[in-house]
Amino acid sequence: MASLKEEVEEKKKLIATLRNKPWRMKRRLKLLKECQAFVEEFEGALGKGKGRKLYAYKVMMAKKMIKFNRDFDNFKTACIPWERKIKEVESHFGSSVASYFIFLRWMYGLNLVLFAFMFGLVVLPEVMMGLPYGSIPRKTVPRAEQDRAMDISVLLDFGGYCKYSILFYGFYNDERTIGVLQFRLPLSYLLVGVGIFGYSLMVVIRTMARNSDEGGDGGDDGQFTFAFKMFTSWDYLIGNPETADNKYASITTSFKESIVDEQENQKDENIHLRRFLRVLANFLILCSLGGSGFLIYFVVKRSQEFANLDQDDLSWFEKNEVEFVMSLLGLVCPPLFETIAELEEYHPRIALKWQLGRIFALFLGNLYTFLFALFDEVNAKLEKEKSIRNATIWGLNEYYSNYSSYHNTTDIPPPDIHPADVIRGPCWETAVGIEFVKLTVSDIQVTYMTILIGDFLRAMIVRFLNYCWCWDLEAGFPSYGEFDISGNVLGLIFNQGMIWMGAFYAPGLVGLNVLRLLTSMYYQCWAVMSCNVPHERVFKASKSNNFYMGLLLLVLFLSLLPVVYTIMTLPPSFDCGPFSGREQMYNVVMETIENDLPAFIGNIFTYATNPGLILPAVLLMVLAIYYLNATSKNYQNANLELKKKMQMARDEEKNRRNNKENTNQVMQDLEDLLPNRSLLPPAAAEEKPPPVREKGSKSPKVAKRPGAAANGKGINIQKDVSLAAPNPKAAVTHPPGPRGPSGNARGPPPGPARGRGRGTPPSRR
Amino acid sequence: MGTTASQLRKDLLSEYQELTFLTKQEIILAHKRFSELLSKEDRNIPTPRVPMEKVLSLPELKSNPFRKRICHVFSTSDMKDGSLTFEDFLDLLSAFSDSATLEIKSHYAFRIFDFDDDGTLDGGDLEKLVNCLTGETDDTRLTTEEMRQLISNILEESDIDKDGTVNLSEFQHVISRSPDFVSSFKIVL
């Protein structure tokens, strides 16, 4: 009974792994039908006796589950958008350009989920269950700004009606619960803000883990250069003859280069000059990085001064100076770095890594300088707020005391001022949100304009002016552009970093980004297909997938820091946003725990936040990391050992086969001198022996040592040794006189000794 | 669309799903493309065969330097003429699909590269392989000296037991260390 069950399980396992077998479809189909018939027949039989109904039910549910899983997988695959588009790009440009679009699609998915969170849990409740526009001061445009609130220029600057809408932090009300459902908006706002980071972190790490699994170790660099070039350099997705020709050319070039490289040893011509040039290049680049950081700081400070002036006096340029300068720097510096890097003369792959690192440093420096400058602004606003708040409180007290003294009641209605006329504090969170949104918008504009001018216009000029130009524009100077994969990917990563930072202060930013990614996909696919040519020199920065994911992770952490800092330290504005009136933003969570949850949960939290508990937990985690690290190193070492063993075993084989003659010769000579034949190594050729040795009853004894053929006298028989069958002649011509008994005695022992070799002749026994 | 005879039977469809790495839509698309390659008379035979020339006219295979070898490897024809039935075609797509495992891909890659079908990659196979990769024209080919050097370098790297050929396990060992192989060994309709 149990064995039957086992067999059924086995057959089921076989069915599941059938697609992994490299057999012909016919054979697999046959096997599948057999296994299925077997399983069906006996599955019924197993269900006899007790628990039959339960067993049958379980089996049916399992089958339905499998079918459901398969249908669900099919459905998921059908839902993935833009497959055709990406496939077209892949067939023309190869898989490395297509990897950018796959990354873009992945980002789109991530942003869609973030948008769903933000929209469903924060924006929608406020819109549906919260107070409408115009009912309370924070939701109304102040009287002073009202006549200009609908102007296009003001709206484009995200002032006016835009500022007092759901797009920004300031609109949200701070009532603990709203609407019929008692929805706790402030709590939800905080949790969503933090949850966005948590979810992104989870997704990025999961993708990284999946990528690192497929990638393997990448080989120890240079161990398999030629083999990889041979076996893995062709991209089977290429479907376009032009691209294929390009690929042929690049493969040929890379072969020729590697052959030459391998032949020449590294002639380090002038190592001192090269070192000096490299130091010089790094110094220049550091200077430019510092320069750009300073420029941004200066510009942000200036914009604060501008903000104090009357808005009408400023030109468009002065109003948007910050964003303009940042985008300009992002455009100009990378080519500058590339030109400086030509001083360094690195191998292209290493040069690419340096270039990416520098661009990353540039963007990071710019972003953080921007943040610091913004932070100064925030502090200034907080100062101003203090005075306004004091003024408001004083005004309110005055009103109450006047009213009570005038009307002689203690039941005082709230002051009857129109919301638009109330004195407002400078809502710093909204200001920060506006800055981020403006930055994102200008980034979008700059990217699209660059593609239009840099790629499309260039392609038009090259194509049409070529007819009347002196030199060949297509082959010579401008020619068509190539798709800059790394620049685009980095741009995408940093855009996402800005979104993460700004999402807490401007809930509408995530929606904006979703729209941007959607249009980007179509726009860039069109641009690449119509204006770009495939890369001339195609080399894959192989582990680049995980490299970009690693960058994304880093950016995620870096954008987490400012948000968490503000949540924990900065006091929220007193009259706008969902946390107004509280000391710190996270007090919302404390309040919820105290008021809404049962008492013991509050106790649990108090215990959990006790440093006495947290410190040991942190210590434990550090130890766990150390332990896992040590284990993984051990596995790597074990791997290396096994590899070495494999090599050694093969080497041994080879040596045995090749050197048997020699060793046996030596041993043969010794053999003559010694009475006891046991010196002769029982080792023998493992390959051919078994069938051959069975010939004749006497020959087995001799056959053991094909090299050692008969007895010591058979020295000259050594020649047809190694894999060859034992020389039958020798067996016959030399009646094994003295050898007989020793020969017999040696019957069993060689058996296990020969087990060392590959083919243990089983028939020896 | 074709006549009902050229529609895929439902039970076969689910079996193919079980046995290959392709999804239902991919199998149906493959069937459609395969039927387009058949000539009118062939459509009504139970297991039609598409001759190699027609298969090579597919855009996905047209620019591939190994197209003839691919057809030969996946063909079950007795006349060794590289013609494919629908099941052979599915085998091809399954091995080249996105979800196929490294083992399957490396196994088939080995067979594709083995030009003389003797189970090992010896010097002659490697030479033909390099010639395929460097294109058809004369000025892109390598010189004899370069070829010799290249082949000896490759054998040095991949031939573990130093017998002058690369066998399947050595090949799979090399391929398993390559990070690009799985992503470039793909053909999608």
Side-chain angles (χ1 to χ4, degrees):
Chain A
M1 184 68 169
S3 70
L4 195 59
K5 204 166 185 173
E6 248 177 61
E7 264 192 67
V8 169
E9 288 302 311
E10 218 178 280
K11 292 279 189 223
K12 278 201 199 154
K13 220 185 295 177
L14 186 60
I15 296 183
T17 54
L18 259 182
R19 55 168 75 115
N20 248 333
K21 308 250 193 266
W23 297 334
R24 292 280 172 231
M25 180 71 85
K26 256 205 191 113
R27 184 170 164 197
R28 278 187 273 165
L29 259 179
K30 205 167 63 128
L31 199 59
L32 177 71
K33 288 200 165 76
E34 271 176 32
C35 291
Q36 276 179 341
F38 182 85
V39 166
E40 266 180 42
E41 192 187 319
F42 286 104
E43 213 148 41
L46 279 177
K48 296 263 158 60
K50 275 194 255 189
R52 175 181 60 164
K53 278 227 172 74
L54 184 63
Y55 186 78
Y57 178 70
K58 266 201 299 192
V59 163
M60 187 193 72
M61 285 315 284
K63 276 201 209 149
K64 278 215 178 354
M65 197 65 196
I66 294 179
K67 178 158 194 313
F68 173 72
N69 275 339
R70 205 190 310 154
D71 284 340
F72 186 61
D73 277 335
N74 280 346
F75 173 69
K76 268 200 299 196
T77 324
C79 273
I80 299 180
W82 304 316
E83 269 301 313
R84 300 256 106 217
K85 245 190 201 355
I86 294 185
K87 197 218 139 192
E88 221 183 302
V89 172
E90 241 169 356
S91 78
H92 277 259
F93 292 90
S95 51
S96 41
V97 169
S99 71
Y100 166 74
F101 288 100
I102 294 179
F103 188 55
L104 181 59
R105 184 174 65 184
W106 182 83
M107 282 288 219
Y108 175 72
L110 173 66
N111 275 289
L112 212 53
V113 174
L114 295 183
F115 174 68
F117 277 152
M118 206 43 141
F119 190 71
L121 293 175
V122 170
V123 177
L124 215 52
E126 181 70 24
V127 162
M128 292 201 322
M129 298 190 278
L131 301 168
Y133 170 83
S135 49
I136 45 177
R138 68 186 63 179
K139 300 201 184 196
T140 334
V141 180
R143 187 71 68 188
E145 297 176 23
Q146 261 186 0
D147 41 348
R148 296 183 52 227
M150 262 312 244
D151 287 353
I152 262 288
S153 58
V154 168
L155 280 183
L156 283 181
D157 256 349
F158 297 100
Y161 283 118
C162 258
K163 188 168 170 188
Y164 298 95
S165 71
I166 46 162
L167 284 180
F168 295 106
Y169 174 98
F171 187 79
Y172 297 86
N173 201 4
D174 71 333
E175 274 176 61
R176 252 191 81 237
T177 63
I178 49 175
V180 175
L181 296 171
Q182 302 284 306
F183 189 79
R184 289 169 175 70
L185 188 73
L187 182 68
S188 148
Y189 195 97
L190 186 66
L191 289 182
V192 166
V194 174
I196 281 182
F197 288 106
Y199 176 76
S200 312
L201 188 63
M202 203 184 69
V203 167
V204 171
I205 290 198
R206 198 174 60 179
T207 315
M208 272 181 92
R210 216 181 287 156
N211 281 347
S212 76
D213 202 22
E214 291 171 11
D217 197 12
D220 325 346
D221 272 319
Q223 189 186 9
F224 288 124
T225 14
F226 284 100
F228 283 170
K229 279 203 193 5
M230 267 280 253
F231 298 134
T232 65
S233 60
W234 182 261
D235 196 348
Y236 288 73
L237 285 163
I238 292 180
N240 184 17
E242 236 178 76
T243 323
D245 284 336
N246 261 349
K247 193 79 171 143
Y248 289 138
S250 87
I251 291 182
T252 317
T253 324
S254 92
F255 271 145
K256 293 199 177 169
E257 273 175 12
S258 334
I259 297 176
V260 166
D261 267 350
E262 185 80 7
Q263 282 171 349
E264 289 183 7
N265 280 331
Q266 289 279 28
K267 300 189 234 169
D268 243 334
E269 277 155 23
N270 196 346
I271 195 165
H272 295 294
L273 181 64
R274 195 183 279 189
R275 273 205 203 128
F276 170 71
L277 285 177
R278 283 186 186 168
V279 167
L280 180 65
N282 277 321
F283 175 70
L284 283 174
I285 290 186
L286 273 175
C287 282
S288 40
L289 280 177
S292 83
F294 176 70
L295 189 59
I296 292 187
Y297 194 77
F298 174 70
V299 164
V300 173
K301 280 278 178 261
R302 224 155 73 121
S303 81
Q304 285 170 3
E305 291 166 30
F306 285 154
N308 293 338
L309 301 174
D310 186 6
Q311 291 293 311
D312 289 331
D313 291 341
L314 304 169
S315 63
W316 173 89
F317 176 72
E318 278 163 345
K319 274 194 261 190
N320 293 326
E321 205 174 22
V322 179
E323 290 78 29
F324 185 69
V325 164
M326 280 186 78
S327 314
L328 203 66
L329 280 173
L331 264 183
V332 160
C333 285
L336 181 67
F337 290 165
E338 251 184 82
T339 353
I340 297 182
E342 283 180 22
L343 278 177
E344 293 183 331
E345 293 179 23
Y346 277 126
H347 183 275
R349 193 171 296 192
I350 302 183
L352 181 68
K353 285 216 156 84
W354 276 94
Q355 174 74 354
L356 287 177
R358 284 173 185 145
I359 298 183
F360 185 74
L362 172 75
F363 278 148
L364 208 60
N366 287 354
L367 205 57
Y368 263 69
T369 321
F370 175 74
L371 272 180
F372 282 132
L374 211 59
F375 193 64
D376 281 346
E377 210 178 300
V378 166
N379 276 337
K381 284 217 162 69
L382 278 175
E383 290 298 318
K384 205 161 69 159
E385 187 185 297
K386 276 205 190 91
S387 59
I388 294 190
R389 181 194 204 164
N390 288 340
T392 326
I393 294 179
W394 179 85
L396 211 58
N397 284 342
E398 281 288 311
Y399 167 78
Y400 282 146
S401 53
N402 280 347
Y403 197 91
S404 61
S405 63
Y406 193 66
H407 289 262
N408 262 340
T409 58
T410 44
D411 187 13
I412 308 170
D416 183 20
I417 316 180
H418 190 273
D421 295 321
V422 172
I423 312 174
R424 308 281 194 83
C427 194
W428 65 268
E429 294 98 342
T430 307
V432 169
I434 292 182
E435 285 297 322
F436 274 113
V437 173
K438 284 200 328 202
L439 200 58
T440 309
V441 167
S442 87
D443 188 51
I444 296 175
Q445 286 170 339
V446 167
T447 316
Y448 285 12
M449 288 312 284
T450 322
I451 295 182
L452 201 60
I453 298 180
D455 279 338
F456 185 61
L457 212 59
R458 172 175 170 181
M460 295 264 281
I461 289 179
V462 169
R463 169 66 71 88
F464 293 121
L465 274 190
N466 208 14
Y467 297 126
C468 50
W469 203 262
C470 2
W471 72 83
D472 187 1
L473 287 172
E474 281 185 6
F477 163 57
S479 78
Y480 298 108
E482 290 180 351
F483 187 75
D484 178 17
I485 305 176
S486 49
N488 272 305
V489 172
L490 276 184
L492 206 58
I493 291 180
F494 276 101
N495 171 56
Q496 190 59 35
M498 285 196 286
I499 302 293
W500 275 324
M501 268 198 251
F504 189 74
Y505 305 106
L509 190 56
V510 190
L512 185 66
N513 200 35
V514 167
L515 278 177
R516 171 231 169 100
L517 288 175
L518 191 61
T519 48
S520 234
M521 184 57 152
Y522 290 106
Y523 185 53
Q524 284 190 302
C525 267
W526 165 80
V528 113
M529 293 298 286
S530 63
C531 319
N532 288 97
V533 287
H535 288 239
E536 253 181 40
R537 184 167 184 168
V538 185
F539 68 93
K540 298 192 184 144
S542 346
K543 285 193 284 193
S544 50
N545 249 345
N546 247 5
F547 176 64
Y548 291 130
M549 280 295 163
L551 271 185
L552 194 62
L553 194 64
L554 189 60
V555 166
L556 175 58
F557 273 123
L558 291 171
S559 43
L560 179 64
L561 290 176
V563 177
V564 170
Y565 178 74
T566 42
I567 293 183
M568 291 296 170
T569 2
L570 289 184
S573 298
F574 76 100
D575 68 341
C576 71
F579 307 114
S580 60
R582 295 181 176 83
E583 294 274 333
Q584 310 279 29
M585 292 190 192
Y586 64 84
N587 281 345
V588 169
V589 177
M590 312 300 231
E591 281 174 16
T592 318
I593 295 178
E594 277 167 23
N595 300 344
D596 295 330
L597 299 175
F600 72 90
I601 295 192
N603 283 341
I604 294 181
F605 268 109
T606 327
Y607 292 145
T609 52
N610 190 349
L613 203 61
I614 291 188
L615 280 178
V618 170
L619 205 59
L620 197 66
M621 282 196 278
V622 168
L623 286 177
I625 291 178
Y626 175 73
Y627 171 74
L628 287 173
N629 210 11
T631 321
S632 98
K633 275 210 180 64
N634 283 339
Y635 283 145
Q636 278 179 355
N637 283 342
N639 259 349
L640 281 172
E641 288 296 324
L642 284 174
K643 247 200 287 187
K644 271 191 220 153
K645 250 198 205 166
M646 214 168 67
Q647 289 233 358
M648 261 182 7
R650 301 273 166 90
D651 283 345
E652 228 179 75
E653 273 314 296
K654 265 313 208 180
N655 281 339
R656 282 237 199 100
R657 263 191 259 145
N658 291 337
N659 299 337
K660 207 151 313 157
E661 317 157 354
N662 304 340
T663 44
N664 282 333
Q665 178 73 27
V666 167
M667 292 318 281
Q668 275 297 318
D669 294 341
L670 270 179
E671 201 33 41
D672 299 336
L673 306 172
L674 301 164
N676 187 358
R677 308 282 178 183
S678 60
L679 272 183
L680 271 174
E686 289 76 40
E687 317 298 326
K688 311 279 183 140
V692 184
R693 287 187 206 172
E694 294 332 314
K695 289 198 204 116
S697 46
K698 286 267 176 5
S699 46
K701 296 191 212 103
V702 190
K704 280 178 267 162
R705 293 177 304 274
N711 23 23
K713 291 162 209 120
I715 303 174
N716 47 358
I717 306 176
Q718 302 299 49
K719 269 179 250 129
D720 48 1
V721 154
S722 17
L723 299 174
N727 195 334
K729 257 193 158 189
V732 170
T733 50
H734 299 272
R739 273 188 83 264
S742 40
N744 277 332
R746 224 166 285 138
R754 202 177 302 122
R756 258 184 291 148
R758 257 187 270 142
T760 323
S763 42
R764 277 277 68 210
R765 297 259 146 246
Chain B
M1 281 312 244
T3 64
T4 39
S6 66
Q7 296 273 21
L8 206 46
R9 285 182 4 230
K10 263 209 144 89
D11 57 338
L12 269 184
L13 183 61
S14 76
E15 278 176 2
Y16 288 147
Q17 268 191 295
E18 190 72 45
L19 291 175
T20 64
F21 290 102
L22 304 170
T23 62
K24 190 158 97 164
Q25 296 96 320
E26 287 169 350
I27 299 180
I28 294 180
L29 177 62
H31 186 79
K32 187 165 110 150
R33 298 287 295 274
F34 188 76
S35 315
E36 285 165 11
L37 292 176
L38 288 174
S39 54
K40 283 274 176 1
E41 321 84 57
D42 284 343
R43 291 222 180 140
N44 296 322
I45 336 178
T47 48
R49 264 183 189 283
V50 171
M52 188 161 80
E53 298 73 35
K54 284 268 183 74
V55 178
L56 295 183
S57 71
L58 280 174
E60 289 83 4
L61 287 181
K62 214 166 38 176
S63 315
N64 196 315
F66 301 113
R67 52 189 181 274
K68 294 218 178 83
R69 279 301 302 163
I70 293 178
C71 285
H72 278 290
V73 164
F74 285 99
S75 155
T76 48
S77 135
D78 300 318
M79 297 174 292
K80 300 273 179 266
D81 61 359
S83 57
L84 297 181
T85 64
F86 181 60
E87 295 186 343
D88 299 336
F89 193 55
L90 277 186
D91 268 334
L92 195 159
L93 290 175
S94 169
F96 278 102
S97 85
D98 206 5
S99 16
T101 58
L102 182 65
E103 292 79 30
I104 285 265
K105 284 189 194 256
S106 55
H107 179 100
Y108 278 111
F110 184 77
R111 288 174 57 188
I112 290 175
F113 294 151
D114 188 9
F115 282 80
D116 49 10
D117 283 320
D118 63 354
T120 59
L121 300 181
D122 55 12
D125 290 329
L126 294 175
E127 192 172 329
K128 287 205 202 97
L129 182 55
V130 171
N131 280 334
C132 273
L133 281 175
T134 53
E136 310 300 307
T137 57
D138 272 331
D139 49 349
T140 50
R141 287 190 176 224
L142 298 182
T143 65
T144 341
E145 180 54 36
E146 286 170 338
M147 180 73 75
R148 196 193 52 79
Q149 177 79 23
L150 183 59
I151 293 188
S152 77
N153 285 340
I154 292 179
L155 284 177
E156 200 182 298
E157 280 175 358
S158 350
D159 188 9
I160 300 183
D161 58 1
K162 306 284 179 252
D163 61 354
T165 64
V166 180
N167 63 23
L168 179 59
S169 41
E170 287 159 356
F171 182 77
Q172 281 182 325
H173 175 72
V174 171
I175 291 295
S176 68
R177 320 286 288 159
S178 158
D180 310 318
F181 178 69
V182 176
S183 54
S184 65
F185 199 75
K186 256 200 284 192
I187 292 182
V188 178
L189 279 189

